[in-house]
Amino acid sequence: MDIPKAYEPHLVEKKWYKYWEENNYFRADADSSKPPQPPFSIVIPPPNVTGSLHIGHALNNTLQDILTRFKRMQGYNTLWLPGTDHAGIATQNVVEKQLRLQGLTRQDLGREKFIERVWEWKKEYGGLIIEQLKRLGTSCDWSRTRFTMDEGLSKAVREVFVSLYEQGFIYRDYYIVNWCPRCHTALADIEVEYKTINGHLDYIKYEGVEKNQFVVVATTRPETMLGDTAVAVNPDDKRYNHLIGKEVILPILNRRLKVIGDSFVEKEFGTGAVKVTPAHDPNDFEIGKRHALQQINILNPDATMNENTGHYQGLDRYECRKKLVEELKAQGLLIKREDYSYAVGHCYRCQTIIEPYLSQQWFVRMKEIAKPAIEAVKDGRLEFIPKNWEKTYFEWMENIRDWCISRQIWWGHQIPVWYCPKCKATIVERQDPTKCPQCGGNELVQDPDVLDTWFSSALWPFSTLGFPEKTKDLAVFYPTSVLSTGFDIIFFWVARMIMMGLKFMGDVPFKQVYIHALIRDAEGQKMSKSHGNVIDPLKVIDKYGTDALRFTLAIMAVQGRDILLAEERIEGYRHFCNKLWNAGRLILTNLNDYIPNPEPRTLNPEYLSLPDRWILTRLNQVIEEVTEGIDSYRFNEAAQILYDFVWHEYCDWYLELAKPELAGERRRLTQDLLLATLNSILRLLHPFMPFITEELWQKLSIAPQNSIMVTSWPTSNAQEIDLESIKTMETIQEVVTAIRTIRTEMRIPPKQKIPTLIIKSEGMLKENSGYLTLLTNINEVIFNPEAIKPDKAVTMVVKGIEFYLPLEGIVDLVEEERRLSQELSKVERDLKLIQVRLANEEFMSRAPEEVVKKERMRLEETTAKRDKLLLNLKYYFH
């Protein structure tokens, strides 16, 4: 059979992906008459339409594809539903950058023309991430691809917004929001990333209206004092309670501020007196509401100072801070300035420091909606894997705050609310209104804000299946089976999907949530372009092939543990692809004369050799273990089991033992077995390595199905399991390995014959001695329970049995013992030096962590080398 010597992924991958698509193998069927088990359905976490495939995408989509291909082969009616997210802020930023290159702004175009421009961009570039996902081998049903702003999903968004508004869950109010001066929009609390910065704590004196009275307040944001409307103290603070009700003068602006008592104030923080800025601090906002304080906004949307800041108007916030501190200092009102480290919120999108900002926004009341979602996890209707993420989920859900859903950008779902200028009515309807239902006015103005991108994403599991219509897809595939995602969007997305699914569908959106690991570099550092440690999956695919990348990610995906990824690991699993290819090539090149056996004899023990019975037993055990591994999301265990079996059992042992059989009387039976075992191995590996398995499986060309991906998943056959064969083969393997080790350590070439092996036993090895001579290149095996160790022989002990290997004329054992003893002395000296260094307190305190780590690794390696030499000297020469 013609099969290339080397596996070339670039010649295979496009060919088979095109074949799968053309034959509709990814398509799900809502009318399927497959067996009665429920369908398997999964929705892709929609990547941003601006996105490019990164290593995190590669991991999550590999794991989802493993599940999907596995369930499809098990016979489930399988749907993996794909799509992309409109990514409001990110997409608008991309298009605005394009406009800036032309000297334009979105304001120059106007809202309608700008949105047209974004749609044009989406049409040209929005499909890039989809094509990249296809390169990864993802078997999504592309005929059902959705976009969070397509017509159907937009209808679902409108229905949910209006329903929540009608039920009193959506409201509009002034509130302190997280404002990004760069993106010019509000951010939800979970869209703010907190970072510690080094700044100052400024102590500022506020003179009292009455003589000889003053307070000193401490702040990290002195510019916000321009919006102060009170000073607050704890009513139980004896230092200040006599000032409550009195007035102080706000420096610079000379505004009178009342001193109020509020138990929120911590007596121990700063001076015990705090400035109250209701428009620029969430805690001050609440204090202000309790005391009916004026709310004075001091910032423009771009974080420059506004008309309420006197002669600082027009300055950037930080320039204002600098000049204000200088002026306070000049007036003797800056009592002191301390260095101070504190956490500051940054925009998750552009990393600009956010401002607490008083703004009118739309909110969803979350407390009541969250309760059923909490119960669904508590009562087991929805399960997190690993389970420890449930604690994180509960902590957030039980302390949930109302969700700010309005964003001050143009690209997104424009909020379906209209205002009537004539009678001031607010109109919220499912269809765009043409006139005011109250006064008949027809000059309605739609709210300019758009919905938070996560609002439409929260509906993804049911909106993509046809909601609000009662579609067949919705009836068959909802709730979905599992969601695979990263821990970083449990709050952004997962929790909100659970809440919205229960609210609008009456059921959880998925039965299980699998939280996969985070990929870091080999040193445990987060991957980032600025660090230069990013692994580009597309470049890796070009270099090593898709299957090598997929298998690497799967075998490293340990539950609850970050993946420390280096390109060398991917290269290593490229070697595994080559190993599989070479195994397939060996088998296929020995099938030229093969005639399929109409009555396979492989189950009749009298026809099967020990290696045959062993490999069939191990294959059936592996089938059970891999099936269990994937079913329980232990992808790493399933992949490792396959790797060890294919490389270290099937290739290293069974194929070596089968080669002589192919040249003898058992050729046809051996062909049957090789073909059957390879077929099962390819099917087990297919979810992990779809391309190479399809290529090899097609070359078998004896199965009725047209693709390996639609053939059946292997099942274990109890009749083929012979546990005694495992015990016997393990003993043979240990003996062979021990002899090969001696050859290596004593520098005996593999092709040099060793005359004799003496085994101080009889039993199971005697009837299988031919395998020992074949695999060790020994002329004769002698079994003698009374044997005495000959002169010039080395000793091995395997499973309590002594083995003697006479090496007279092959190795000078006296010289070899001397060499090993010298090597042991050197190793022991090295070990002592390392131990002394690690016991040195000065070295341990001064040496860099990396140096200490390397020394400890050297200690482990040197100790292991010492122990091995001691063992060899003990068994070989005594």
Side-chain angles (χ1 to χ4, degrees):
M1 185 174 291
D2 183 33
I3 178 169
K5 286 186 177 180
Y7 174 59
E8 299 293 347
H10 65 278
L11 299 177
V12 166
E13 294 175 359
K14 286 184 181 177
K15 173 182 73 174
W16 289 123
Y17 202 89
K18 182 181 178 186
Y19 175 77
W20 295 330
E21 281 199 287
E22 287 175 348
N23 285 277
N24 294 321
Y25 290 140
F26 303 157
R27 293 282 293 269
D29 182 5
D31 296 312
S32 171
S33 58
K34 285 194 173 182
Q37 71 254 35
F40 177 83
S41 57
I42 183 170
V43 290
I44 198 171
N48 288 352
V49 73
T50 57
S52 181
L53 191 75
H54 58 63
I55 199 70
H57 288 137
L59 169 65
N60 193 20
N61 286 285
T62 292
L63 301 182
Q64 290 175 82
D65 196 47
I66 289 169
L67 289 170
T68 303
R69 288 178 182 271
F70 168 64
K71 290 295 182 181
R72 190 183 288 120
M73 292 175 77
Q74 284 189 318
Y76 285 82
N77 182 15
T78 303
L79 169 63
W80 185 11
L81 198 150
T84 53
D85 191 286
H86 67 276
I89 296 174
T91 307
Q92 179 161 312
N93 283 346
V94 167
V95 178
E96 285 193 89
K97 281 180 184 176
Q98 286 187 344
L99 290 176
R100 281 198 293 276
L101 294 175
Q102 301 168 26
L104 297 171
T105 67
R106 61 183 164 109
Q107 287 79 11
D108 293 331
L109 267 66
R111 184 169 192 144
E112 189 175 335
K113 291 291 184 185
F114 176 76
I115 290 173
E116 286 177 13
R117 187 73 169 260
V118 182
W119 278 108
E120 288 171 11
W121 180 91
K122 191 261 179 187
K123 185 178 180 181
E124 187 171 356
Y125 300 106
L128 176 66
I129 187 74
I130 295 293
E131 294 308 309
Q132 291 171 341
L133 285 169
K134 290 180 179 181
R135 286 202 65 193
L136 194 63
T138 51
S139 59
C140 297
D141 185 347
W142 300 112
S143 69
R144 285 176 162 87
T145 302
R146 304 304 300 267
F147 177 55
T148 50
M149 280 183 65
D150 68 28
E151 185 179 350
L153 269 68
S154 296
K155 187 176 181 181
V157 167
R158 175 74 70 93
E159 174 61 33
V160 167
F161 183 95
V162 175
S163 295
L164 290 173
Y165 181 83
E166 290 172 343
Q167 295 171 50
F169 288 106
I170 286 182
Y171 66 96
R172 193 183 192 207
D173 198 1
Y174 283 94
Y175 200 76
I176 293 287
V177 296
N178 306 298
W179 183 263
C180 175
R182 161 63 185 80
C183 298
H184 282 214
T185 188
L187 302 173
D189 289 342
I190 56 175
E191 293 173 317
V192 177
E193 296 177 355
Y194 284 90
K195 300 177 184 178
T196 299
I197 68 168
N198 295 320
H200 299 97
L201 188 62
D202 294 318
Y203 291 78
I204 304 168
K205 183 178 182 181
Y206 287 31
E207 298 279 7
V209 171
E210 297 180 16
K211 285 185 178 181
N212 301 320
Q213 289 187 343
F214 65 90
V215 292
V216 176
V217 300
T219 179
T220 57
R221 299 158 65 215
E223 70 279 4
T224 61
M225 65 178 283
L226 301 172
D228 285 1
T229 55
V231 170
V233 297
N234 191 300
D236 297 328
D237 192 334
K238 294 176 181 178
R239 294 173 296 172
Y240 299 116
N241 53 18
H242 67 284
L243 294 176
I244 294 173
K246 303 217 173 148
E247 291 183 327
V248 295
I249 303 296
L250 176 66
I252 311 299
L253 296 183
N254 298 316
R255 187 164 58 238
R256 288 193 174 200
L257 308 178
K258 185 173 283 190
V259 179
I260 59 174
D262 195 288
S263 57
F264 175 80
V265 178
E266 296 178 19
K267 292 184 283 185
E268 295 77 20
F269 179 76
T271 64
V274 299
K275 53 190 285 304
V276 182
T277 319
H280 294 283
D281 183 278
N283 295 321
D284 292 3
F285 177 79
E286 296 298 336
I287 292 174
K289 284 208 299 186
R290 288 195 289 274
H291 297 272
L293 299 178
Q294 184 184 3
Q295 299 166 337
I296 301 175
N297 177 25
I298 61 167
L299 292 174
N300 295 313
D302 62 356
T304 57
M305 311 310 289
N306 68 14
E307 69 281 0
N308 294 322
T309 60
H311 57 276
Y312 296 110
Q313 183 176 355
L315 293 180
D316 171 77
R317 53 182 164 165
Y318 298 120
E319 184 63 22
C320 173
R321 179 181 298 180
K322 182 181 176 183
K323 290 185 178 297
L324 179 64
V325 168
E326 289 172 357
E327 191 168 349
L328 289 168
K329 195 172 183 180
Q331 294 183 16
L333 297 176
L334 183 67
I335 304 303
K336 64 175 174 174
R337 166 169 265 210
E338 295 177 344
D339 291 337
Y340 190 66
S341 296
Y342 56 104
V344 175
H346 291 67
C347 173
Y348 79 108
R349 178 61 60 188
C350 69
Q351 297 305 307
T352 301
I353 291 179
I354 62 100
E355 281 291 338
Y357 190 74
L358 185 64
S359 176
Q360 192 174 30
Q361 302 286 344
W362 287 94
F363 296 86
V364 181
R365 302 182 203 277
M366 299 303 291
K367 288 280 186 191
E368 188 176 333
I369 297 175
K371 287 176 184 175
I374 294 169
E375 287 305 311
V377 177
K378 284 185 175 178
D379 65 24
R381 280 175 289 155
L382 191 148
E383 175 189 12
F384 278 82
I385 301 165
K387 195 172 179 64
N388 60 286
W389 288 110
E390 290 181 6
K391 184 184 177 197
T392 306
Y393 172 81
F394 289 136
E395 283 174 356
W396 188 71
M397 292 289 281
E398 287 165 357
N399 296 284
I400 199 166
R401 293 173 58 178
D402 287 357
W403 176 13
C404 176
I405 56 170
S406 46
R407 298 291 181 269
Q408 289 66 50
I409 58 175
W410 288 354
W411 173 244
H413 296 280
Q414 193 168 352
I415 289 178
V417 175
W418 286 259
Y419 307 105
C420 176
K422 189 175 178 181
C423 70
K424 309 301 181 189
T426 298
I427 303 148
V428 180
E429 294 185 354
R430 287 170 175 79
Q431 302 296 326
D432 292 4
T434 55
K435 62 180 181 179
C436 176
Q438 294 186 24
C439 71
N442 58 7
E443 294 183 0
L444 304 181
V445 178
Q446 188 172 0
D447 194 299
D449 291 352
V450 300
L451 288 166
D452 176 11
T453 298
W454 295 103
F455 189 92
S456 51
S457 300
L459 320 182
W460 187 250
F462 55 91
S463 63
T464 51
L465 294 171
F467 176 92
E469 308 303 327
K470 294 182 178 177
T471 64
K472 188 70 177 285
D473 273 5
L474 198 58
V476 171
F477 296 114
Y478 189 93
T480 63
S481 306
V482 62
L483 176 80
S484 175
T485 189
F487 68 87
D488 52 333
I489 54 174
I490 291 176
F491 311 134
F492 280 109
W493 190 45
V494 179
R496 289 166 176 168
M497 282 192 289
I498 297 170
M499 289 185 278
M500 292 300 178
L502 287 162
K503 179 70 178 168
F504 288 94
M505 294 297 298
D507 202 350
V508 293
F510 21 75
K511 308 289 180 54
Q512 294 175 312
V513 179
Y514 171 72
I515 304 295
H516 65 68
L518 178 70
I519 299 183
R520 299 181 181 274
D521 72 10
E523 305 302 319
Q525 299 299 310
K526 188 174 181 180
M527 288 188 180
S528 70
K529 290 180 181 177
S530 60
H531 290 156
N533 62 351
V534 170
I535 292 178
D536 183 339
L538 298 172
K539 289 181 180 178
V540 165
I541 286 171
D542 288 337
K543 194 170 181 180
Y544 303 112
T546 299
D547 290 327
L549 173 63
R550 287 174 58 118
F551 197 81
T552 304
L553 295 173
I555 206 167
M556 297 184 77
V558 181
Q559 285 187 15
R561 189 190 305 166
D562 287 347
I563 294 172
L564 306 187
L565 183 63
E567 192 173 314
E568 290 77 13
R569 294 297 297 268
I570 303 166
E571 183 181 12
Y573 291 112
R574 171 72 168 95
H575 298 325
F576 180 57
C577 294
N578 292 339
K579 191 77 172 177
L580 178 66
W581 182 261
N582 290 335
R585 188 170 183 273
L586 170 69
I587 294 167
L588 290 164
T589 52
N590 276 282
L591 293 179
N592 291 327
D593 62 339
Y594 179 70
I595 301 170
N597 194 338
E599 297 179 5
R601 295 168 294 176
T602 54
L603 295 181
N604 190 335
E606 71 178 87
Y607 293 109
L608 299 179
S609 66
L610 169 66
D612 295 338
R613 298 195 305 277
W614 167 71
I615 202 66
L616 286 172
T617 301
R618 286 295 299 124
L619 176 62
N620 280 282
Q621 290 177 330
V622 165
I623 289 169
E624 291 177 359
E625 291 164 2
V626 171
T627 304
E628 165 62 20
I630 300 176
D631 266 333
S632 58
Y633 307 103
R634 297 196 307 275
F635 301 101
N636 63 302
E637 293 181 18
Q640 189 68 57
I641 288 163
L642 282 168
Y643 178 87
D644 291 340
F645 174 71
V646 172
W647 192 308
H648 299 304
E649 295 182 84
Y650 191 69
C651 294
D652 285 356
W653 293 95
Y654 184 67
L655 292 187
E656 291 304 307
L657 291 164
K659 286 175 185 177
E661 303 282 22
L662 288 167
E665 295 178 358
R666 298 181 74 252
R667 177 176 176 82
R668 185 171 173 183
L669 177 56
T670 303
Q671 287 175 324
D672 284 340
L673 278 160
L674 288 172
L675 197 58
T677 51
L678 178 61
N679 193 317
S680 292
I681 285 168
L682 293 177
R683 285 183 286 153
L684 288 169
L685 278 169
H686 178 72
F688 300 88
M689 307 167 78
F691 293 109
I692 190 172
T693 53
E694 183 73 82
E695 179 74 4
L696 286 170
W697 191 87
Q698 291 284 346
K699 289 184 182 300
L700 296 178
S701 63
I702 60 163
Q705 290 87 358
N706 294 319
S707 170
I708 190 172
M709 69 174 288
V710 290
T711 194
S712 61
W713 181 255
T715 54
S716 177
N717 183 348
Q719 289 181 284
E720 294 179 352
I721 294 177
D722 174 8
L723 297 179
E724 284 301 314
S725 69
I726 291 180
K727 292 179 183 177
T728 306
M729 272 302 295
E730 282 178 353
T731 303
I732 290 171
Q733 287 169 320
E734 285 187 43
V735 174
V736 170
T737 300
I739 293 170
R740 287 174 175 173
T741 300
I742 290 170
R743 278 184 176 273
T744 301
E745 291 176 350
M746 299 195 176
R747 292 166 288 187
I748 305 170
K751 291 185 178 179
Q752 183 175 351
K753 284 276 187 185
I754 295 176
T756 311
L757 171 68
I758 302 169
I759 302 178
K760 195 175 179 179
S761 171
E762 289 190 343
M764 61 180 177
L765 285 177
K766 193 168 187 177
E767 62 191 67
N768 295 294
S769 62
Y771 301 123
L772 294 177
T773 58
L774 171 68
L775 295 169
T776 60
N777 201 12
I778 290 175
N779 278 334
E780 181 186 15
V781 180
I782 297 171
F783 292 87
N784 180 0
E786 308 300 325
I788 299 171
K789 179 185 176 183
D791 290 338
K792 298 182 180 179
V794 295
T795 306
M796 304 172 294
V797 179
V798 175
K799 294 190 181 299
I801 303 171
E802 286 192 10
F803 295 73
Y804 307 127
L805 194 63
L807 295 175
E808 186 174 5
I810 299 172
V811 175
D812 184 338
L813 292 180
V814 173
E815 173 60 25
E816 188 64 25
E817 184 175 9
R818 187 187 67 78
R819 184 184 69 81
L820 289 177
S821 296
Q822 286 180 340
E823 189 177 349
L824 176 62
S825 296
K826 182 181 180 303
V827 168
E828 286 179 332
R829 285 196 301 272
D830 292 344
L831 185 60
K832 190 170 183 179
L833 286 172
I834 298 169
Q835 289 170 335
V836 168
R837 191 174 292 121
L838 289 173
N840 186 317
E841 292 182 8
E842 186 176 355
F843 169 78
M844 294 298 287
S845 63
R846 290 188 176 186
E849 186 180 341
E850 192 59 34
V851 172
V852 174
K853 184 179 177 183
K854 285 181 180 177
E855 283 298 302
R856 284 181 172 145
M857 286 176 65
R858 281 187 63 212
L859 178 68
E860 285 183 27
E861 291 165 1
T862 309
T863 302
K865 193 173 182 181
R866 189 265 324 261
D867 293 345
K868 186 177 181 183
L869 285 166
L870 285 169
L871 201 63
N872 289 350
L873 283 164
K874 176 183 176 183
Y875 283 117
Y876 291 174
F877 304 107
H878 299 101

